Amino acid sequence: MPFDRWNALNDAPVFPPERFGLVADRLGRILKTRNDILLFQTEAVVALEAVTASLARPGLKAINIVTSPFGAWFGGWLRRGGAEVVTLMAEPVRPIDAEAVTAAFEAHPDTKAVIFCHAESANGVLNPLEEIAAAARARGIVTVVDAVASVGGHALDVDALGVDIAVIGPQKSLAGPAGVSAVSVSPAAWRLVTAEGASRESTLSLLDRKAWLDAGRGALPGTSASLEFFALEAALDRFEAEGPDAVLARHGRAAKAARDGLVALGAAPSAPAGRASHLVTTARLPDGVGMDAFLAAATHLETDMSPGVGPGAENLVRLNHTGQRARFEAVLGNVAAYGIALRNLGLPADIAAAAAAVAAYYSG
Ligand SMILES: *Cc1c(COP(=O)(O)O)cnc(C)c1O
């Protein structure tokens, strides 16, 4: 028997059941909410599908704001459950205009729910959460927010804003594991989820998961994904030790430095200033430069640049400054690598000016 092939990651001890509730409380504090927190032993996109599956039913009208491929998925899941979906599509790789959302609310007074991404990792835009949530709240519309790529990196005050459902994962700003996620659910959201026609006896049913809350938040149903929860606790320990304000500021600074660095380089940031993700900064490649050639010109540097995702993002390069990457060395490395790639392709790039622009944010 190969007992010598010992690995600490195998045969992990069971996650102590009494700590699930504590983890939920810690996530609730990050979201600044007293709403219920449901835990999912799955990646966040499954939690998003569960939320839409639990809301969707014939007779329910929802406004789906699409600013990336995620939005298209939300609409598909809602329709699959029989909901009537009004699609509000932003211009490609632009945030939605808050006034367009209000106009849609006015045009569809029977709307029960609105769903959208807060910050987009796919193309780097930031949607106007505060304005949308306020307009929805004034009309009694349940607000559903994909906050996976904003929690920790952007202000997200769930109760003050009146966000009814927020879906989060620890794998972005919190630099935690990707196989676990959480959903906050307000009383108004529960009323909508539990109304006639609610989905049940499904892993996608929020109502089924409510049983965990009602039973006093002990062990989660099914085999505990212990490694994920130990890793989540470790991520929360680190997050809390640094402090939410410091983590948020670190991401905000990384985004500003990346943006100014790109501009100094002579590159073109894509997301509008003030409406840009703090987790990724996107830049539009110069005309005539292909994505594959650009990335190939920088692969030897092993920095963290990748193509944008979704319609209109084909020629956007993403500079990743998420989680532990939201630091000087990653930002400087990515901006310089962007410049090196341009130069390797025979294009001008002022790397010295770019480095100075980044350094200005980290001078102490
Ligand atoms: C990363 C991310 C998710 C979650 O995707 P996973 O596949 O679960 O990692 C959801 N929404 C947004 C906006 C994201 O950036």
PDB file of all heavy atoms in Angstrom, residues 43-46 48 68 70 74 117 119-122 146 148-149 171-172 178, ligand 1:
ATOM      1  N   GLU A  43     -18.626  26.573  -7.372  1.00  0.00           N
ATOM      2  CA  GLU A  43     -18.149  27.855  -7.885  1.00  0.00           C
ATOM      3  C   GLU A  43     -19.321  28.818  -8.028  1.00  0.00           C
ATOM      4  O   GLU A  43     -20.482  28.418  -8.146  1.00  0.00           O
ATOM      5  CB  GLU A  43     -17.424  27.667  -9.213  1.00  0.00           C
ATOM      6  CG  GLU A  43     -18.310  27.145 -10.310  1.00  0.00           C
ATOM      7  CD  GLU A  43     -17.597  27.136 -11.661  1.00  0.00           C
ATOM      8  OE1 GLU A  43     -16.978  28.140 -12.017  1.00  0.00           O
ATOM      9  OE2 GLU A  43     -17.694  26.104 -12.350  1.00  0.00           O
ATOM     10  N   ALA A  44     -18.996  30.097  -8.060  1.00  0.00           N
ATOM     11  CA  ALA A  44     -20.022  31.141  -7.966  1.00  0.00           C
ATOM     12  C   ALA A  44     -21.018  31.115  -9.112  1.00  0.00           C
ATOM     13  O   ALA A  44     -22.174  31.501  -8.956  1.00  0.00           O
ATOM     14  CB  ALA A  44     -19.350  32.508  -7.898  1.00  0.00           C
ATOM     15  N   VAL A  45     -20.586  30.649 -10.259  1.00  0.00           N
ATOM     16  CA  VAL A  45     -21.503  30.677 -11.392  1.00  0.00           C
ATOM     17  C   VAL A  45     -22.671  29.711 -11.145  1.00  0.00           C
ATOM     18  O   VAL A  45     -23.792  29.952 -11.604  1.00  0.00           O
ATOM     19  CB  VAL A  45     -20.725  30.405 -12.707  1.00  0.00           C
ATOM     20  CG1 VAL A  45     -20.344  28.967 -12.851  1.00  0.00           C
ATOM     21  CG2 VAL A  45     -21.479  30.912 -13.909  1.00  0.00           C
ATOM     22  N   VAL A  46     -22.452  28.678 -10.358  1.00  0.00           N
ATOM     23  CA  VAL A  46     -23.550  27.770 -10.001  1.00  0.00           C
ATOM     24  C   VAL A  46     -24.522  28.476  -9.044  1.00  0.00           C
ATOM     25  O   VAL A  46     -25.741  28.338  -9.167  1.00  0.00           O
ATOM     26  CB  VAL A  46     -23.003  26.467  -9.377  1.00  0.00           C
ATOM     27  CG1 VAL A  46     -24.151  25.539  -8.987  1.00  0.00           C
ATOM     28  CG2 VAL A  46     -22.060  25.766 -10.337  1.00  0.00           C
ATOM     29  N   LEU A  48     -25.070  31.615  -9.045  1.00  0.00           N
ATOM     30  CA  LEU A  48     -25.829  32.535  -9.901  1.00  0.00           C
ATOM     31  C   LEU A  48     -26.957  31.806 -10.623  1.00  0.00           C
ATOM     32  O   LEU A  48     -28.078  32.306 -10.723  1.00  0.00           O
ATOM     33  CB  LEU A  48     -24.891  33.178 -10.931  1.00  0.00           C
ATOM     34  CG  LEU A  48     -24.004  34.307 -10.405  1.00  0.00           C
ATOM     35  CD1 LEU A  48     -22.846  34.553 -11.351  1.00  0.00           C
ATOM     36  CD2 LEU A  48     -24.832  35.579 -10.216  1.00  0.00           C
ATOM     37  N   SER A  68     -21.961  41.797 -20.374  1.00  0.00           N
ATOM     38  CA  SER A  68     -20.912  40.797 -20.623  1.00  0.00           C
ATOM     39  C   SER A  68     -21.599  39.469 -20.905  1.00  0.00           C
ATOM     40  O   SER A  68     -22.821  39.371 -20.785  1.00  0.00           O
ATOM     41  CB  SER A  68     -20.025  40.629 -19.386  1.00  0.00           C
ATOM     42  OG  SER A  68     -20.691  39.831 -18.424  1.00  0.00           O
ATOM     43  N   PHE A  70     -21.857  37.006 -19.030  1.00  0.00           N
ATOM     44  CA  PHE A  70     -22.616  36.560 -17.858  1.00  0.00           C
ATOM     45  C   PHE A  70     -24.073  36.985 -17.972  1.00  0.00           C
ATOM     46  O   PHE A  70     -24.986  36.221 -17.674  1.00  0.00           O
ATOM     47  CB  PHE A  70     -22.028  37.125 -16.567  1.00  0.00           C
ATOM     48  CG  PHE A  70     -20.795  36.404 -16.096  1.00  0.00           C
ATOM     49  CD1 PHE A  70     -19.552  37.014 -16.156  1.00  0.00           C
ATOM     50  CD2 PHE A  70     -20.870  35.117 -15.595  1.00  0.00           C
ATOM     51  CE1 PHE A  70     -18.411  36.351 -15.731  1.00  0.00           C
ATOM     52  CE2 PHE A  70     -19.741  34.440 -15.168  1.00  0.00           C
ATOM     53  CZ  PHE A  70     -18.502  35.060 -15.236  1.00  0.00           C
ATOM     54  N   PHE A  74     -27.626  34.901 -17.577  1.00  0.00           N
ATOM     55  CA  PHE A  74     -28.738  35.158 -16.636  1.00  0.00           C
ATOM     56  C   PHE A  74     -30.065  35.102 -17.389  1.00  0.00           C
ATOM     57  O   PHE A  74     -31.032  34.493 -16.926  1.00  0.00           O
ATOM     58  CB  PHE A  74     -28.635  36.548 -15.988  1.00  0.00           C
ATOM     59  CG  PHE A  74     -27.349  36.847 -15.272  1.00  0.00           C
ATOM     60  CD1 PHE A  74     -26.942  38.164 -15.087  1.00  0.00           C
ATOM     61  CD2 PHE A  74     -26.557  35.833 -14.759  1.00  0.00           C
ATOM     62  CE1 PHE A  74     -25.764  38.462 -14.428  1.00  0.00           C
ATOM     63  CE2 PHE A  74     -25.371  36.128 -14.103  1.00  0.00           C
ATOM     64  CZ  PHE A  74     -24.972  37.450 -13.936  1.00  0.00           C
ATOM     65  N   CYS A 117     -24.493  42.422 -13.370  1.00  0.00           N
ATOM     66  CA  CYS A 117     -23.161  42.334 -12.766  1.00  0.00           C
ATOM     67  C   CYS A 117     -22.787  43.699 -12.210  1.00  0.00           C
ATOM     68  O   CYS A 117     -23.012  44.708 -12.873  1.00  0.00           O
ATOM     69  CB  CYS A 117     -22.113  42.009 -13.828  1.00  0.00           C
ATOM     70  SG  CYS A 117     -21.941  40.293 -14.210  1.00  0.00           S
ATOM     71  N   ALA A 119     -19.339  44.608 -11.127  1.00  0.00           N
ATOM     72  CA  ALA A 119     -18.110  44.863 -11.898  1.00  0.00           C
ATOM     73  C   ALA A 119     -17.872  43.674 -12.813  1.00  0.00           C
ATOM     74  O   ALA A 119     -18.108  42.531 -12.430  1.00  0.00           O
ATOM     75  CB  ALA A 119     -16.926  45.059 -10.964  1.00  0.00           C
ATOM     76  N   GLU A 120     -17.402  43.966 -14.001  1.00  0.00           N
ATOM     77  CA  GLU A 120     -17.181  42.923 -15.011  1.00  0.00           C
ATOM     78  C   GLU A 120     -15.699  42.574 -15.098  1.00  0.00           C
ATOM     79  O   GLU A 120     -14.880  43.442 -15.437  1.00  0.00           O
ATOM     80  CB  GLU A 120     -17.656  43.404 -16.387  1.00  0.00           C
ATOM     81  CG  GLU A 120     -19.155  43.635 -16.494  1.00  0.00           C
ATOM     82  CD  GLU A 120     -19.936  42.338 -16.649  1.00  0.00           C
ATOM     83  OE1 GLU A 120     -19.371  41.245 -16.436  1.00  0.00           O
ATOM     84  OE2 GLU A 120     -21.131  42.433 -16.984  1.00  0.00           O
ATOM     85  N   SER A 121     -15.386  41.301 -14.851  1.00  0.00           N
ATOM     86  CA  SER A 121     -14.003  40.872 -15.084  1.00  0.00           C
ATOM     87  C   SER A 121     -13.772  40.601 -16.575  1.00  0.00           C
ATOM     88  O   SER A 121     -12.638  40.580 -17.032  1.00  0.00           O
ATOM     89  CB  SER A 121     -13.701  39.613 -14.271  1.00  0.00           C
ATOM     90  OG  SER A 121     -14.630  38.603 -14.588  1.00  0.00           O
ATOM     91  N   ALA A 122     -14.848  40.400 -17.323  1.00  0.00           N
ATOM     92  CA  ALA A 122     -14.720  40.051 -18.742  1.00  0.00           C
ATOM     93  C   ALA A 122     -14.199  41.223 -19.579  1.00  0.00           C
ATOM     94  O   ALA A 122     -13.438  41.021 -20.528  1.00  0.00           O
ATOM     95  CB  ALA A 122     -16.072  39.585 -19.289  1.00  0.00           C
ATOM     96  N   ASP A 146     -24.665  40.244  -9.327  1.00  0.00           N
ATOM     97  CA  ASP A 146     -23.470  39.403  -9.407  1.00  0.00           C
ATOM     98  C   ASP A 146     -22.308  40.268  -8.922  1.00  0.00           C
ATOM     99  O   ASP A 146     -21.840  41.152  -9.636  1.00  0.00           O
ATOM    100  CB  ASP A 146     -23.257  38.955 -10.854  1.00  0.00           C
ATOM    101  CG  ASP A 146     -21.935  38.206 -11.057  1.00  0.00           C
ATOM    102  OD1 ASP A 146     -21.115  38.173 -10.123  1.00  0.00           O
ATOM    103  OD2 ASP A 146     -21.723  37.688 -12.164  1.00  0.00           O
ATOM    104  N   VAL A 148     -19.427  38.929  -7.710  1.00  0.00           N
ATOM    105  CA  VAL A 148     -18.245  38.063  -7.589  1.00  0.00           C
ATOM    106  C   VAL A 148     -16.975  38.868  -7.866  1.00  0.00           C
ATOM    107  O   VAL A 148     -15.982  38.744  -7.157  1.00  0.00           O
ATOM    108  CB  VAL A 148     -18.334  36.872  -8.574  1.00  0.00           C
ATOM    109  CG1 VAL A 148     -17.094  35.991  -8.445  1.00  0.00           C
ATOM    110  CG2 VAL A 148     -19.594  36.060  -8.333  1.00  0.00           C
ATOM    111  N   ALA A 149     -17.042  39.712  -8.898  1.00  0.00           N
ATOM    112  CA  ALA A 149     -15.846  40.448  -9.299  1.00  0.00           C
ATOM    113  C   ALA A 149     -15.834  41.859  -8.736  1.00  0.00           C
ATOM    114  O   ALA A 149     -15.142  42.731  -9.247  1.00  0.00           O
ATOM    115  CB  ALA A 149     -15.745  40.479 -10.823  1.00  0.00           C
ATOM    116  N   GLN A 171     -12.860  33.980  -4.827  1.00  0.00           N
ATOM    117  CA  GLN A 171     -11.681  33.738  -5.675  1.00  0.00           C
ATOM    118  C   GLN A 171     -11.152  34.974  -6.393  1.00  0.00           C
ATOM    119  O   GLN A 171     -10.203  34.877  -7.141  1.00  0.00           O
ATOM    120  CB  GLN A 171     -11.986  32.639  -6.698  1.00  0.00           C
ATOM    121  CG  GLN A 171     -12.855  33.033  -7.877  1.00  0.00           C
ATOM    122  CD  GLN A 171     -14.323  32.804  -7.640  1.00  0.00           C
ATOM    123  OE1 GLN A 171     -14.824  33.084  -6.555  1.00  0.00           O
ATOM    124  NE2 GLN A 171     -15.043  32.307  -8.638  1.00  0.00           N
ATOM    125  N   LYS A 172     -11.767  36.116  -6.189  1.00  0.00           N
ATOM    126  CA  LYS A 172     -11.288  37.317  -6.875  1.00  0.00           C
ATOM    127  C   LYS A 172     -10.565  38.222  -5.861  1.00  0.00           C
ATOM    128  O   LYS A 172      -9.448  37.922  -5.486  1.00  0.00           O
ATOM    129  CB  LYS A 172     -12.453  38.022  -7.575  1.00  0.00           C
ATOM    130  CG  LYS A 172     -13.217  37.106  -8.564  1.00  0.00           C
ATOM    131  CD  LYS A 172     -12.550  36.974  -9.906  1.00  0.00           C
ATOM    132  CE  LYS A 172     -13.121  35.875 -10.782  1.00  0.00           C
ATOM    133  NZ  LYS A 172     -14.426  36.154 -11.369  1.00  0.00           N
ATOM    134  N   ALA A 178     -11.861  28.910  -5.278  1.00  0.00           N
ATOM    135  CA  ALA A 178     -12.864  29.123  -6.329  1.00  0.00           C
ATOM    136  C   ALA A 178     -14.032  28.152  -6.236  1.00  0.00           C
ATOM    137  O   ALA A 178     -15.022  28.320  -6.930  1.00  0.00           O
ATOM    138  CB  ALA A 178     -12.209  28.987  -7.701  1.00  0.00           C
TER     139      ALA A 178
HETATM  140  C1  LIG B   1     -15.424  35.260 -11.875  1.00  0.00           C
HETATM  141  C2  LIG B   1     -16.820  35.720 -12.036  1.00  0.00           C
HETATM  142  C3  LIG B   1     -17.910  34.898 -11.758  1.00  0.00           C
HETATM  143  C4  LIG B   1     -17.750  33.500 -11.272  1.00  0.00           C
HETATM  144  O1  LIG B   1     -17.302  32.669 -12.226  1.00  0.00           O
HETATM  145  P1  LIG B   1     -16.713  31.264 -11.789  1.00  0.00           P
HETATM  146  O2  LIG B   1     -16.733  30.528 -13.062  1.00  0.00           O
HETATM  147  O3  LIG B   1     -17.605  30.726 -10.771  1.00  0.00           O
HETATM  148  O4  LIG B   1     -15.357  31.564 -11.253  1.00  0.00           O
HETATM  149  C5  LIG B   1     -19.177  35.418 -11.891  1.00  0.00           C
HETATM  150  N1  LIG B   1     -19.378  36.667 -12.298  1.00  0.00           N
HETATM  151  C6  LIG B   1     -18.365  37.503 -12.581  1.00  0.00           C
HETATM  152  C7  LIG B   1     -18.672  38.891 -13.011  1.00  0.00           C
HETATM  153  C8  LIG B   1     -17.061  37.048 -12.455  1.00  0.00           C
HETATM  154  O5  LIG B   1     -16.049  37.868 -12.722  1.00  0.00           O
END
